[in-house]
Amino acid sequence: MDKRCFVSIDLPKSVKEYLTTVQNPGIYWIKWMKPQNMHITLSFLGDLHSHEIENAKKILEEISADFFSFDVRLDKIRQERDMLWIMPSYTEAIESLQEAVKDRLGHARLGKRERRSYHPHILLGKSKTGRFMKWRPENFEPIEFQVNSISLYESELTPGVATHRLIHSFNFEKPLL
């Protein structure tokens, strides 16, 4: 059976909890992301067979051995069409990690080709009505966290929400300098 998969940077529980305080459940036309679904996507892989998942796991293990832990600072809000994103400051580490994941998995013919340029972000909320996102949280303050791993997830689309299930996490082998 195929699984719809993606590779991401997980957020610490404390960051997810903080981001939920930025959401405003009183705004009826915004569908707020649940904390368990908050992450920074590195690559969407699409539907993979079990042998492709095993191949992806081997490649992600190899990639994680090449990276050091690094810090990420979430400090920007971006309204993207009908979505509200929290975005990190530019870091060469995220860019290098995303490129390595995209290139290595792409070389193995795993993953979808993206036509758009990569913008790391966390989806905070999405318009239920399709209207352009004009609302911005007033209580957002920058927050930092350390990235020590990447994760491979299965994403099951269910009515109203996607359910993400961790397949495997890959810790970076090199310590923070």
Side-chain angles (χ1 to χ4, degrees), residues 114-175:
E114 287 290 332
R115 293 182 210 140
R116 296 171 284 179
S117 59
Y118 178 71
H119 298 284
H121 65 276
I122 300 159
L123 180 60
L124 188 66
K126 183 174 171 121
S127 172
K128 292 179 185 176
T129 63
R131 74 167 69 165
F132 182 76
M133 185 64 68
K134 292 183 181 177
W135 182 82
R136 290 176 71 92
E138 296 175 10
N139 61 335
F140 176 73
E141 295 290 332
I143 187 169
E144 291 185 30
F145 66 96
Q146 190 174 81
V147 176
N148 301 307
S149 64
I150 55 177
S151 297
L152 177 63
Y153 276 90
E154 171 189 1
S155 179
E156 181 183 352
L157 298 178
T158 56
V161 69
T163 301
H164 299 161
R165 286 185 203 85
L166 178 65
I167 295 172
H168 195 79
S169 283
F170 307 88
N171 293 325
F172 296 152
E173 297 295 319
K174 298 180 178 181

Side-chain angles (χ1 to χ4, degrees), residues 44 106 109 111-116:
F44 176 69
R109 299 191 184 283
K112 299 283 184 184
R113 292 188 190 265
E114 287 290 332
R115 293 182 210 140
R116 296 171 284 179

Side-chain angles (χ1 to χ4, degrees), residues 13-166:
K13 183 179 178 182
S14 61
V15 172
K16 291 178 182 183
E17 288 171 352
Y18 168 70
L19 291 177
T20 61
T21 69
V22 174
Q23 297 173 332
N24 184 344
I27 301 176
Y28 72 92
W29 57 271
I30 298 177
K31 178 180 178 182
W32 299 106
M33 294 307 301
K34 294 182 179 182
Q36 62 267 26
N37 284 357
M38 293 179 182
H39 62 272
I40 299 174
T41 301
L42 295 170
S43 183
F44 176 69
L45 304 179
D47 294 330
L48 300 181
H49 300 293
S50 58
H51 70 278
E52 291 173 311
I53 291 171
E54 290 307 311
N55 193 15
K57 287 167 65 176
K58 289 175 191 169
I59 292 168
L60 294 171
E61 187 72 45
E62 292 168 3
I63 291 169
S64 66
D66 293 337
F67 279 85
F68 294 96
S69 297
F70 59 91
D71 292 327
V72 169
R73 178 179 167 86
L74 302 175
D75 63 356
K76 296 179 195 87
I77 297 171
R78 180 171 168 180
Q79 295 134 314
E80 183 68 22
R81 297 178 312 268
D82 62 342
M83 296 173 282
L84 184 63
W85 291 351
I86 302 294
M87 302 188 65
S89 296
Y90 172 81
T91 66
E92 192 173 312
I94 289 178
E95 185 175 307
S96 296
L97 181 58
Q98 191 273 335
E99 281 292 322
V101 168
K102 180 183 79 168
D103 291 347
R104 300 276 300 278
L105 291 172
H107 185 70
R109 299 191 184 283
L110 299 170
K112 299 283 184 184
R113 292 188 190 265
E114 287 290 332
R115 293 182 210 140
R116 296 171 284 179
S117 59
Y118 178 71
H119 298 284
H121 65 276
I122 300 159
L123 180 60
L124 188 66
K126 183 174 171 121
S127 172
K128 292 179 185 176
T129 63
R131 74 167 69 165
F132 182 76
M133 185 64 68
K134 292 183 181 177
W135 182 82
R136 290 176 71 92
E138 296 175 10
N139 61 335
F140 176 73
E141 295 290 332
I143 187 169
E144 291 185 30
F145 66 96
Q146 190 174 81
V147 176
N148 301 307
S149 64
I150 55 177
S151 297
L152 177 63
Y153 276 90
E154 171 189 1
S155 179
E156 181 183 352
L157 298 178
T158 56
V161 69
T163 301
H164 299 161
R165 286 185 203 85
L166 178 65

